[in-house]
Amino acid sequence: MKGSCSQLARCALFCLFMNTLHICSAYAEQWWTSPEASWKPVSSDYNWSHRRTGTRPDWSPYFGNWLHYRPSELLSNSIVIEGKHVRPWTVGRMCKFLRQKDDSGKDEAFELKSIYEESAKGDWAKGFIEKRINTADREDDVPLWQLGHIFNKTPYRVTALPCSLPPKLEGVGAESSRVTIVMPDGCTVSGPRWLPTNEEADELQQWKDKDGKNAMRFQFCELWLAEGTAESTKVGAFVMYDGITGELVQIFRMKEVLLPNESGDDPEKGISMDQLESTIGDKNRLIRKDIVDADMLTALRSGQSLEDVFRQNHFTSFVGRAVKSTSPNGAEEECTTNMAAGNDGVSNIVASLLAPKGKEAQHIDIRFEDGVYLRVPKSFCPGTFADDAEVCLELGSLRLDDGGFHRVRMTGCRKSGGFDVCAYERWQ
């Protein structure tokens, strides 16, 4: 069987340009663009009803480590290897608490309270995060910071962000953000989806309002991959760009585990990071120590191309779900696939893995020591990408539970209005 799977994988490399159906003219071929792909509408409350956070009236606690990286140290190489080219400039512990915030019982809102060590917050949420003053906290020698927010139910979880824009760009989605559950219990993507054309990007930099103030908008992406029941183990990445100039300004990673509900801490009464950490059932899941496939871990973090890493392995099944939106604020459709090694569509198992050709110089491929990688654009500055060129933000990781691999991608192009497809893929 191993030889058969290996032969199929090698054959797949010769089938890279099958099933042509482009979203933008420069898109690489993907399984969801094939003529056989079947799209169907997604309910406007799907991303709300399928969430795992803030679904119970009592606090659900998560504990995590946040690792911050300096963009200036990431831009010197197309493939950046942690430990060789870069290390986090600060690492710290954080905890977050979520609960349903709706007395009516209709599940219309949930509340998030996040608490950080000084070393965990980095440059996160400047101007919004505040120093925590709670005499009940049991971290007397370590200052803590906090950030809270209430999330309200909206169609497709689209919300408006503060902005100041030229009148012609109002209402096109430049002011909005959205949350997409790309795969229940598998991955979530959040952030603004709109991207300006190169002409619009130039206009944004030159425009001033009636008071002489520059344009302002947010451009960020938060990517999460989850394993276990109710997303009990998660890895994530937060990437932020200047919404006007397009420059990369912030990157950090998140590793989180769900704590037992009996952990005993209440963010409103006081917390102890040490006490919360002591309730973690298996700390190896937080630090991602027990990677099943040691050979693939070595290959991935050494900087080998994804094609080479996958060519050396014998995956026998592939599951995917893609979600596309009609506009940054618009409705969604979904497409799913489930392929086994014996199917004719097995060529796409490898073909869909390959990075867009000719775009390597515009992206950073970061390989982390724990079997996670992140691939993001170096910038969105005018001229960096042609209006019809594919842009991709991608987070992938080796899985802890079954030795497989999964990833999430957010793709799009300036011409189509921005990131219009989110896709989750899992190989086993």
Side-chain angles (χ1 to χ4, degrees), residues 9-219:
R10 287 195 298 270
C11 291
L13 296 174
F14 296 98
C15 303
L16 301 182
F17 300 104
M18 302 288 288
N19 301 328
T20 306
L21 180 63
H22 294 284
I23 299 174
C24 290
S25 64
Y27 269 28
E29 308 307 329
Q30 306 296 351
W31 56 267
W32 64 81
T33 67
S34 72
E36 291 78 23
S38 177
W39 292 89
K40 62 181 182 179
V42 175
S43 167
S44 63
D45 66 356
Y46 182 96
N47 298 310
W48 185 265
S49 62
H50 284 78
R51 77 187 194 281
R52 296 298 189 188
T53 53
T55 58
R56 52 194 301 271
D58 298 323
W59 290 112
S60 294
Y62 281 85
F63 185 91
N65 293 327
W66 281 24
L67 305 87
H68 298 260
Y69 299 83
R70 297 193 186 281
S72 59
E73 296 177 359
L74 299 172
L75 294 172
S76 57
N77 296 278
S78 291
I79 295 182
V80 178
I81 300 173
E82 186 177 34
K84 179 180 180 180
H85 301 125
V86 67
R87 287 198 177 277
W89 66 271
T90 184
V91 179
R93 301 178 297 178
M94 64 83 63
C95 56
K96 63 185 182 186
F97 299 81
L98 301 107
R99 68 178 177 184
Q100 197 175 61
K101 188 71 172 177
D102 188 356
D103 297 332
S104 67
K106 296 181 179 180
D107 189 26
E108 298 288 335
F110 71 91
E111 182 178 12
L112 166 67
K113 284 188 180 293
S114 300
I115 302 171
Y116 311 84
E117 291 180 330
E118 178 84 27
S119 56
K121 71 179 184 67
D123 293 327
W124 164 243
K126 282 186 175 179
F128 299 94
I129 197 168
E130 59 184 17
K131 204 162 189 176
R132 182 172 167 87
I133 302 174
N134 192 323
T135 56
D137 286 344
R138 286 157 279 167
E139 306 287 340
D140 296 336
D141 57 339
V142 179
L144 297 178
W145 296 75
Q146 68 179 10
L147 189 66
H149 188 72
I150 293 177
F151 296 85
N152 294 297
K153 182 179 179 181
T154 60
Y156 301 104
R157 291 184 73 175
V158 175
T159 56
L161 298 175
C163 66
S164 178
L165 299 166
K168 65 178 291 186
L169 296 181
E170 293 177 355
V172 298
E175 74 294 341
S176 67
S177 177
R178 69 193 299 159
V179 178
T180 303
I181 295 180
V182 191
M183 177 67 81
D185 294 321
C187 77
T188 303
V189 171
S190 65
R193 306 302 165 86
W194 182 77
L195 284 177
T197 64
N198 281 292
E199 181 180 345
E200 290 168 338
D202 283 328
E203 183 177 351
L204 278 171
Q205 293 195 29
Q206 298 170 18
W207 181 82
K208 295 181 184 297
D209 66 12
K210 61 181 181 181
D211 298 319
K213 295 181 179 179
N214 295 327
M216 188 279 289
R217 62 176 292 269
F218 290 98
Q219 186 71 59

